[in-house]
């Protein structure tokens, strides 16, 4: 039975002290004479990179929310200015 290569981009491994580490890993079969005789696995600690990616996503969401809030404030300010102009015309 021949194994296919595999890739995992976001997984947790656990250290002996009970703490976790975010990892990605790649697995490739070792094939000799048409038979899978082993597996090579490369594991990479991606904790810091994932932390930065998560923080970036959080900041982008915050930026989007602030832009929407600013747009609503501009609309409200324009409506208030229009109302004040109308009141100025009435009095």
């Amino acid at each position: 039975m021949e194994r296919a290569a595999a890739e995992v981009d976001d997984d947790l491994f656990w250290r002996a002290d009970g703490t976790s580490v975010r990892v990605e890993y790649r697995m490739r079969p070792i094939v000799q004479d048409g038979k899978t005789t082993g597996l090579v696995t490369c594991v990479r600690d991606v904790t810091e990179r994932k932390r930065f990616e998560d923080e970036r996503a959080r900041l982008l969401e915050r930026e989007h929310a602030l832009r929407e809030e600013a747009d609503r404030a501009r609309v409200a300010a324009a409506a208030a200015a229009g109302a004040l102009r109308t009141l100025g015309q009435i009095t």
Side-chain angles (χ1 to χ4, degrees):
M1 172 175 143
E2 189 170 323
R3 292 179 165 266
E7 298 181 1
V8 176
D9 292 323
D10 195 7
D11 202 354
L12 281 180
F13 279 11
W14 296 92
R15 295 183 180 111
D17 66 2
T19 60
S20 64
V21 58
R22 291 174 81 173
V23 299
E24 67 181 17
Y25 54 93
R26 309 288 182 256
M27 297 177 290
R28 302 288 185 265
I30 298 171
V31 180
Q32 292 178 333
D33 300 324
K35 293 184 180 183
T36 301
T37 59
L39 186 67
V40 174
T41 304
C42 178
V43 179
R44 182 183 322 199
D45 180 344
V46 294
T47 303
E48 187 171 328
R49 187 185 83 211
K50 292 293 185 177
R51 184 174 56 81
F52 284 126
E53 288 173 358
D54 292 347
E55 179 66 7
R56 180 179 183 271
R58 187 190 69 76
L59 290 171
L60 287 172
E61 286 175 18
R62 179 70 178 136
E63 177 189 23
H64 180 71
L66 288 171
R67 286 182 187 272
E68 286 183 344
E69 187 177 325
D71 288 344
R72 286 190 300 272
R74 277 191 287 278
V75 169
L84 287 174
R85 279 191 299 276
T86 301
L87 282 175
Q89 293 172 357
I90 294 173
T91 57

